[in-house]
Amino acid sequence: MGFWLAEKRTGQRSSFIQRFDPRFWTINFPRPMMASVVTTAADALRVDAIFYNSDDLAGLIWESEDTLDHPLLAYETVRDYARLKWEFHWRSSGIMPLDAINGPTLTIEGRDAAGVAKSWYVRLWNYASGTPTDAQISIEFSKMDGGFLLPGEADPVFPEDIDRLSISIIPPDYDGLGARYTTPKIGWIEMSGIRTDGRGAVLEIGDIMLPENGLAMATAYDDSFNQTPERLLRMVRALGYRGSINHYLGMSHYFRLETLGEGLYVSLSAPQAGEEYAAINQPATAWHRDLITRAEAMGFSLILSLSYELFDAHCWNDWKQRAENGDPALTGWEPPSTLLSPANGNAMAYLQAVARAFAAIARDAGAAIRFQVGEPWWWIMPDKRICLYDAAASAAFGESSVSITNIDGPKTEAQNAMLDQAGALLAQSTADLLVAVKDEAGATPVETLLLAYLPTILDDQAPEARRANLPLGWASPAFDILQLEDYDWVIAGDRPATERGVALAIDQLGYPIAQQHYFTGFVLQPADRFIWANMVDAIADAQARATPEIFVWALPQVARDGFTYFQEEEEDVNAFDDVQFPLAIGQNASVSPGFSTRIVTTMSGHETRNSDWSDARLEFDVGPGVRSEEELRILIAFFRARRGAAKAFRFRDPYDHSSREMVGEPTPNDQLLGIGDGQKTEFSLVKGYGDPAGEPQLRRITRPDSASLQIAIDGQVTGHWTLGPAGVIAFDTPPSQGSDITAGFRFDVPVRFSSDQLQMNQATFQAGEIPEILLVEVREGS
């Protein structure tokens, strides 16, 4: 397996789209309002919106630069709109009409002819024919003016340097004052027949279709609510992901809200006209119906994930888990979310109503219902206070309620009894949630899944926490599938911790590996791109455990960092003889890099050739180094012992076999293996090519010459380590935080014969004809 963090297309297949393709519009707005955009045809889109305040405003946005798609799939950046004509049909209801003073306005952000940043405000009604809610709009960018009344207030648009277009969507009685509506306002717009003509009417766009990679994808509504489902699914499919999509319904965008005093709180009031469900808002309903329907048509199986997490500002106060002093359970997000108490009947009834709504959408779309309870737990504060003390929980525990000031360490018998009771409450709440989903599903089969976050649940410092947060009530067959994630361990590169954690979860809950899924890692910030390598290691470990489905978390980070995962033709050396090639070939060998190319059909139907490897695989011709009949006999004997191409072996590359430059004498400070964090004990041998101060290409070294190996910590040679398989250095104790781990070594390349036959003739050999004897590098490690 391998991966590539692509920054741009480098020769991969591209095709063309019409500028203003409906798939690539986005929607944005301030809290608490909500809006969504979906495609309704190849040339049409629809926006649904809900307004809570008289100053709510959404923008339907087209970006000149595509910053949301994977770099191999993004459309080209073109800021010049001169001599472009744009036409579309506009329909709307429940929003400010086109002819009003604050009617839909096209805001154009860019620069004027002098290069000075400027925005123009174009009244769409000035370019419309029809009624204020049903009109044909035609815009020629080179003849367009900002301003309300034309020609008197004309502000000519400079169309050659535009960054962004945004169409405003506001409630019909917008006044800019922010007054709270007694009843929220529901509205929508439709743009159809979208077409462009003239210069720049089409844009180049990535048209790759990577081979299936054996992995599944994870998405989240809170991360992707502003995009169209069609755009997201295009990315997932094109990048090689198949099978399941685990979709987190989120904690901050799906809910309906109602007013209480100055606040807005999640609502179960009866839907008003234009709404379908009591628990979820109409924009979220429309968006998820489109996502589920499209996923089903494309052969994806969507898993709907609902957690006990809710946006704090809109959560009823008595629903929140609380610490012993009354502090609410708050996450570290900004603004924060909170955790619902499994003991609070109203909070759990709300979750059940949310689950029913999404299950109904899937059922009515004809899709399978796969429902995940995502990371349900009693929250543990950063200072290790466990939140078991909200009013409903205290009432449920009754006289069993005792003080637990810190979850770490051993606990008294009474404290353990309370934790066991908390676990039973949690398990019962998840069981009730599944009953609600199955009841809503009716005759539609339901698959139930539980997602557990191992580093928190199985914290070695808090051995009794699992009584509350990994309760025996979850043991098989309470759920059909146990899903495990461990990104703290993945970030740290602590693969043994994952192995222990999975074993403990199996021992506690009894789900065999055939009933497990695995979620690998999370790259929160662009600066943490190194984590992708750890994630690929974790994928390899999950595959070695024979985990049926492995999910990459999550699509926005995959797109942001250009993560491109692929299965190589030859993943591991499944047969290796740890012996050297027997002949001293020296400089007579020739070497050439090679790439793997797969011929596939793109989404547009074109044939394309995709390079699968981020690094070349070396190929050596050692024929020129065979200088005598004796060496020829040695070669034949070695070939037979390897059974042709069946077994790999070591080969010393005459041009590159040292950590110091290419063939220099190794020193312990040649190559940086990593930075110590006080926890990680294993570091892989690597060799960097290129400027160390930049982004050097890193090559895994799996076959070092052990006699030449030297290891240093902060420049000081150390002997407290062992060399493991695949060139992994295992320290006796973790190197300290911030320490530089370096190494020097000579190394061999793992190779095999390229063929099961050697083509040679003694007569021609004696006459000076050089045989071609090819050795091909094989990949080891991950």
Side-chain angles (χ1 to χ4, degrees):
M1 68 193 67
F3 74 98
W4 175 30
L5 299 182
E7 295 182 355
K8 61 181 180 180
R9 288 194 295 280
T10 54
Q12 289 80 15
R13 177 79 193 188
S14 62
S15 58
F16 296 92
I17 61 167
Q18 176 183 241
R19 200 192 306 228
F20 304 133
D21 185 310
R23 293 173 293 178
F24 302 102
W25 287 81
T26 61
I27 191 80
N28 208 349
F29 45 86
R31 297 182 187 279
M33 77 159 291
M34 181 61 198
S36 68
V37 56
V38 302
T39 52
T40 55
D43 62 352
L45 60 81
R46 176 183 169 103
V47 173
D48 285 275
I50 183 168
F51 308 99
Y52 294 100
N53 299 313
S54 64
D55 63 348
D56 283 346
L57 181 151
L60 179 64
I61 299 167
W62 177 270
E63 301 279 1
S64 295
E65 180 182 5
D66 183 352
T67 60
L68 295 176
D69 283 298
H70 189 282
L72 298 182
L73 292 163
Y75 58 79
E76 68 173 318
T77 300
V78 178
R79 293 187 168 86
D80 187 354
Y81 291 67
R83 287 181 278 178
L84 177 70
K85 184 177 181 180
W86 176 31
E87 295 180 306
F88 58 91
H89 192 83
W90 172 278
R91 294 179 64 242
S92 63
S93 175
I95 72 161
M96 187 75 76
L98 287 167
D99 64 341
I101 292 177
N102 290 316
T105 299
L106 176 65
T107 300
I108 300 177
E109 300 173 47
R111 280 154 294 279
D112 63 18
V116 178
K118 180 176 172 62
S119 294
W120 293 266
Y121 303 97
V122 179
R123 188 187 186 202
L124 287 182
W125 183 243
N126 288 336
Y127 298 91
S129 59
T131 73
T133 59
D134 190 337
Q136 185 70 20
I137 295 176
S138 180
I139 291 173
E140 295 184 57
F141 281 86
S142 293
K143 301 178 181 178
M144 183 167 51
D145 293 311
F148 185 75
L149 295 177
L150 302 182
E153 298 175 355
D155 181 12
V157 172
F158 181 70
E160 297 178 27
D161 196 2
I162 293 173
D163 293 326
R164 186 168 84 152
L165 310 177
S166 177
I167 299 175
S168 61
I169 303 169
I170 59 177
D173 52 357
Y174 176 90
D175 60 14
L177 300 178
R180 179 68 45 77
Y181 293 130
T182 303
T183 302
K185 307 289 186 180
I186 306 295
W188 56 264
I189 71 161
E190 290 179 346
M191 292 170 58
S192 60
I194 299 171
R195 57 172 295 176
T196 54
D197 291 300
R199 194 177 74 177
V202 296
L203 301 174
E204 184 181 357
I205 190 169
D207 191 26
I208 67 161
M209 179 66 77
L210 293 179
E212 295 183 23
N213 58 28
L215 303 180
M217 178 51 66
T219 62
Y221 188 47
D222 292 346
D223 292 333
S224 305
F225 66 90
N226 61 324
Q227 301 179 60
T228 67
E230 188 173 4
R231 183 181 196 168
L232 301 175
L233 292 171
R234 170 183 180 265
M235 266 198 289
V236 174
R237 183 168 179 259
L239 293 173
Y241 300 93
R242 297 292 187 272
S244 299
I245 295 176
N246 197 94
H247 178 68
Y248 177 40
L249 299 168
M251 56 85 183
S252 61
H253 286 85
Y254 67 77
F255 37 64
R256 289 178 70 246
L257 297 173
E258 64 181 53
T259 298
L260 180 66
E262 296 297 316
L264 280 167
Y265 297 89
V266 296
S267 176
L268 282 176
S269 62
Q272 60 174 306
E275 294 182 308
E276 298 176 60
Y277 298 102
I280 64 176
N281 62 62
Q282 193 58 31
T285 299
W287 193 94
H288 281 91
R289 178 175 290 114
D290 189 64
L291 176 72
I292 293 170
T293 302
R294 291 184 183 278
E296 185 75 7
M298 294 173 67
F300 288 112
S301 178
L302 208 67
I303 299 170
L304 298 171
S305 168
L306 182 64
S307 76
Y308 282 42
E309 190 176 356
L310 194 64
F311 190 65
D312 179 66
H314 300 318
C315 183
W316 298 96
N317 285 323
D318 60 336
W319 290 11
K320 302 175 186 180
Q321 295 180 27
R322 294 184 181 273
E324 193 169 3
N325 70 343
D327 289 343
L330 298 179
T331 65
W333 301 110
E334 184 57 43
S337 53
T338 189
L339 278 297
L340 300 180
S341 171
N344 188 291
N346 290 332
M348 294 301 98
Y350 172 75
L351 274 190
Q352 291 167 26
V354 173
R356 281 180 177 274
F358 284 110
I361 293 171
R363 177 200 64 208
D364 295 344
I369 297 178
R370 305 177 72 193
F371 181 78
Q372 178 213 90
V373 185
E375 296 180 353
W377 51 25
W378 294 97
W379 187 248
I380 297 173
M381 300 279 206
D383 61 5
K384 294 304 185 78
R385 289 178 293 156
I386 188 168
C387 295
L388 299 175
Y389 299 95
D390 61 272
S394 294
F397 295 139
E399 294 182 357
S400 299
S401 182
V402 295
S403 176
I404 301 178
T405 58
N406 190 306
I407 194 61
D408 285 355
K411 294 289 171 276
T412 67
E413 183 176 346
Q415 289 171 330
N416 282 336
M418 182 183 181
L419 292 171
D420 287 337
Q421 192 173 348
L425 271 174
L426 181 61
Q428 186 59 54
S429 72
T430 58
D432 293 342
L433 188 54
L434 300 186
V435 168
V437 170
K438 291 177 180 178
D439 180 67
E440 187 66 39
T444 303
V446 176
E447 181 184 61
T448 60
L449 307 96
L450 170 70
L451 178 62
Y453 182 60
L454 296 180
T456 294
I457 292 173
L458 301 179
D459 183 356
D460 290 337
Q461 301 301 313
E464 304 303 338
R466 69 194 65 170
R467 293 175 179 269
N469 285 334
L470 197 67
L472 293 177
W474 286 346
S476 179
F479 293 84
D480 297 314
I481 300 291
L482 174 64
Q483 298 179 306
L484 302 175
E485 63 175 326
D486 63 339
Y487 55 80
D488 277 1
W489 295 335
V490 172
I491 291 170
D494 194 349
R495 297 164 81 176
T498 297
E499 184 178 355
R500 293 192 303 270
V502 171
L504 282 169
I506 293 174
D507 182 64
Q508 175 91 343
L509 300 182
Y511 293 87
I513 199 71
Q515 291 176 253
Q516 289 185 30
H517 293 169
Y518 174 70
F519 287 73
T520 176
F522 188 78
V523 184
L524 183 61
Q525 300 295 338
D528 297 332
R529 287 159 62 96
F530 73 92
I531 296 172
W532 290 110
N534 295 354
M535 290 174 63
V536 171
D537 287 342
I539 289 168
D541 293 340
Q543 290 171 332
R545 294 193 297 270
T547 309
E549 290 201 75
I550 301 167
F551 292 83
V552 174
W553 186 269
L555 184 60
Q557 287 75 35
V558 166
R560 181 197 67 202
D561 294 342
F563 178 72
T564 311
Y565 179 89
F566 44 82
Q567 296 281 3
E568 295 177 311
E569 289 179 357
E570 192 165 6
E571 293 184 11
D572 297 302
V573 179
N574 54 17
F576 189 90
D577 286 345
D578 198 11
V579 296
Q580 283 279 1
F581 185 73
L583 303 177
I585 299 300
Q587 300 297 319
N588 290 315
S590 65
V591 59
S592 61
F595 291 86
S596 170
T597 301
R598 297 177 187 259
I599 299 175
V600 298
T601 302
T602 68
M603 287 186 290
S604 64
H606 294 88
E607 179 183 277
T608 188
R609 290 160 294 283
N610 294 317
S611 178
D612 285 351
W613 299 340
S614 58
D615 188 14
R617 183 165 70 168
L618 299 177
E619 185 177 275
F620 302 91
D621 182 2
V622 298
V626 180
R627 295 173 291 271
S628 67
E629 289 187 32
E630 177 61 24
E631 289 186 344
L632 190 59
R633 285 191 287 270
I634 292 172
L635 175 64
I636 292 172
F638 187 79
F639 179 81
R640 291 174 64 89
R642 307 287 82 72
R643 294 176 172 82
K647 293 187 177 182
F649 50 91
R650 289 176 178 261
F651 178 75
R652 184 65 56 94
D653 182 348
Y655 305 101
D656 182 9
H657 57 253
S658 173
S659 60
R660 186 172 182 79
E661 297 178 342
M662 302 299 275
V663 296
E665 185 65 29
T667 73
N669 299 312
D670 290 343
Q671 300 292 329
L672 179 65
L673 307 187
I675 307 297
D677 61 4
Q679 300 181 25
K680 184 178 179 180
T681 58
E682 294 186 347
F683 295 82
S684 297
L685 291 178
V686 294
K687 180 177 180 181
Y689 296 82
D691 182 5
E695 293 187 6
Q697 178 196 8
L698 295 181
R699 175 186 182 185
R700 280 290 304 272
I701 303 300
T702 59
R703 295 292 167 177
D705 179 350
S706 59
S708 70
L709 190 53
Q710 306 168 69
I711 305 296
I713 300 178
D714 283 336
Q716 300 298 311
V717 176
T718 179
H720 300 291
W721 54 269
T722 56
L723 174 62
V728 174
I729 303 301
F731 288 93
D732 299 343
T733 57
S736 60
Q737 177 81 27
S739 57
D740 289 344
I741 317 302
T742 58
F745 45 82
R746 296 189 186 277
F747 63 92
D748 299 312
V749 182
V751 298
R752 62 168 173 80
F753 289 100
S754 68
S755 172
D756 283 326
Q757 289 185 317
L758 284 181
Q759 299 290 340
M760 60 186 62
N761 180 284
Q762 185 178 24
T764 57
F765 178 74
Q766 290 176 337
E769 184 174 312
I770 299 173
E772 183 182 67
I773 304 169
L774 299 181
L775 308 179
V776 179
E777 181 183 8
V778 293
R779 298 293 174 86
E780 296 184 292
S782 56

